[in-house]
Amino acid sequence: MINKVAIVTGANKGIGLGIVKELCKRGVSHVYLTARDEKRGVEAVNNLKLEGYNPLFHQLDITNEESVIRFAGFIKTELRGIDILFNNAAVAGDNVTGATYEDANRVISVNFDSILTIEKYIFPLLNNNARVINVSSDLGHLSKLKNKYWISTLSKDDLTLDNVKKFTDWFLDAVRNNTLKEEDFSLPYFLSYVVSKIALSAYTRIQQKKIGRGISINSLHPGFVKTSMTKETGMLTIEQASDAPVYLALDADQSIKGKYIWFDKTEKEWTNISLDLNYVDPSLFKKLLDRRAIETPLKVYHEE
């Protein structure tokens, strides 16, 4: 038994659920599956119990400050702090190409702004030498940008939260004013998601610099995974994709801090825009685009 408290957000299905299962399998004593929807979360926990695992459940809507405050209160009252935190909950958004302001704002709110709320209320409850894993994406690597100003700004050693917020505001303003340029990006797909995950990866580096207390914070690309978010077109199963996240939580050296980790457990230099990170089978990616294109209307895909 590993006497640790682990929290996984957005965990009633997909990668989050896989991480919860793997943590339980590894013997972590207190694994909290959290989800926005209480009914779905309890159902997921009960299904895992039928498989012989013993996760715990708590409702948590990362976009709702009051929900985060309630969860923080529960941790203070019932637990001895947090040893492992997976910021996993995310949405892909409605738009395959282009963007609408409403959808772009929602995606950035869930995938990036919520991290600031978690940082405000949950980070103070992290134990010394805790581990935080921000679940990012290959689309969250800086090489997915072509805009020279933002590449230069986001790769600075003295990057600030204000810089990152200005980056997301730049994108939202461009969408709202209909001045968005696809040539600012490496690919013309899922641009709101790209911006949100680049912001998350960038901010991970900032978080690490200011956290202290031996805590490690890293961002992770879990791979192209067969989930509802990818319309089951991925290259990895959920079980396979849970390996690297749990490795970071339990097995990686504590000295790995502020890094961008690939699904094969290797570090990729986040600011190196010359890296060739194109590993996805083009036929599978086309299948994803095709499946998304035929949906009427397009839906928001939650990992929770």
Side-chain angles (χ1 to χ4, degrees):
M1 182 71 69
I2 301 173
N3 187 26
K4 291 181 181 292
V5 174
I7 311 294
V8 187
T9 69
N12 68 271
K13 66 176 182 176
I15 297 169
L17 182 60
I19 291 170
V20 167
K21 184 175 180 178
E22 186 63 24
L23 288 169
C24 290
K25 190 182 296 185
R26 289 288 303 274
V28 176
S29 58
H30 298 80
V31 182
Y32 279 86
L33 183 159
T34 73
R36 175 179 50 86
D37 188 305
E38 184 168 355
K39 181 180 178 181
R40 292 177 180 176
V42 170
E43 182 179 358
V45 163
N46 289 338
N47 287 337
L48 285 175
K49 288 182 177 180
L50 291 175
E51 295 183 44
Y53 303 107
N54 194 35
L56 302 157
F57 174 75
H58 200 285
Q59 191 276 339
L60 176 62
D61 180 350
I62 60 170
T63 65
N64 183 307
E65 187 173 25
E66 289 303 315
S67 177
V68 177
I69 291 172
R70 284 195 298 272
F71 184 56
F74 167 77
I75 294 169
K76 290 176 184 177
T77 303
E78 302 294 333
L79 303 174
R80 55 170 181 74
I82 300 170
D83 301 297
I84 300 166
L85 172 62
F86 280 96
N87 289 313
N88 168 74
V91 295
D94 291 349
N95 305 115
V96 175
T97 58
T100 63
Y101 181 77
E102 180 182 9
D103 187 58
N105 192 54
R106 178 171 61 245
V107 171
I108 289 172
S109 175
V110 175
N111 296 359
F112 175 66
D113 292 340
S114 67
I115 297 299
L116 305 180
T117 308
I118 292 292
E119 182 179 47
K120 180 177 180 180
Y121 296 106
I122 304 300
F123 272 31
L125 306 176
L126 293 171
N127 291 324
N128 292 345
N129 301 309
R131 299 187 178 199
V132 179
I133 296 93
N134 292 330
V135 180
S136 186
S137 167
D138 57 337
L139 297 180
H141 190 269
L142 191 61
S143 60
K144 295 302 182 286
L145 272 182
K146 290 296 184 184
N147 183 290
K148 292 182 179 180
Y149 173 79
W150 287 115
I151 289 173
S152 174
T153 298
L154 294 174
S155 60
K156 295 190 305 182
D157 287 337
D158 59 349
L159 183 70
T160 65
L161 173 59
D162 184 59
N163 295 142
V164 180
K165 288 293 292 179
K166 284 179 178 177
F167 168 64
T168 58
D169 288 346
W170 160 78
F171 176 74
L172 290 172
D173 288 343
V175 172
R176 180 168 45 201
N177 298 327
N178 200 30
T179 57
L180 183 64
K181 298 177 181 178
E182 288 187 350
E183 57 264 35
D184 283 330
F185 301 88
S186 299
L187 294 171
Y189 307 113
F190 308 111
L191 296 183
S192 300
Y193 186 79
V194 168
V195 168
S196 70
K197 291 299 187 178
I198 287 175
L200 175 62
S201 300
Y203 191 56
T204 298
R205 293 153 54 87
I206 298 172
Q207 287 183 318
Q208 182 62 74
K209 289 180 178 179
K210 64 181 180 179
I211 189 69
R213 298 195 290 124
I215 295 168
S216 66
I217 306 177
N218 295 287
S219 59
L220 168 75
H221 166 47
F224 186 33
V225 189
K226 297 174 183 177
T227 67
S228 61
M229 186 178 278
T230 63
K231 299 301 292 176
E232 308 298 334
T233 61
M235 298 168 66
L236 299 177
T237 65
I238 289 172
E239 183 177 5
Q240 290 170 329
S242 302
D243 186 39
V246 174
Y247 161 79
L248 266 183
L250 296 177
D251 303 322
D253 194 280
Q254 189 71 17
S255 65
I256 300 175
K257 296 180 177 180
K259 305 301 184 181
Y260 175 83
I261 306 299
W262 207 240
F263 65 90
D264 63 359
K265 305 175 187 175
T266 62
E267 177 192 342
K268 305 297 183 185
E269 175 52 53
W270 188 74
T271 60
N272 185 353
I273 60 173
S274 298
L275 285 179
D276 181 5
L277 301 177
N278 296 316
Y279 71 99
V280 174
D281 183 334
S283 66
L284 286 179
F285 188 68
K286 183 179 184 302
K287 185 181 291 186
L288 168 61
L289 296 179
D290 290 344
R291 290 184 180 181
R292 289 295 303 267
I294 62 175
E295 293 174 343
T296 308
L298 291 174
K299 298 177 181 179
V300 176
Y301 289 94
H302 288 256
E303 276 297 286
E304 54 174 283

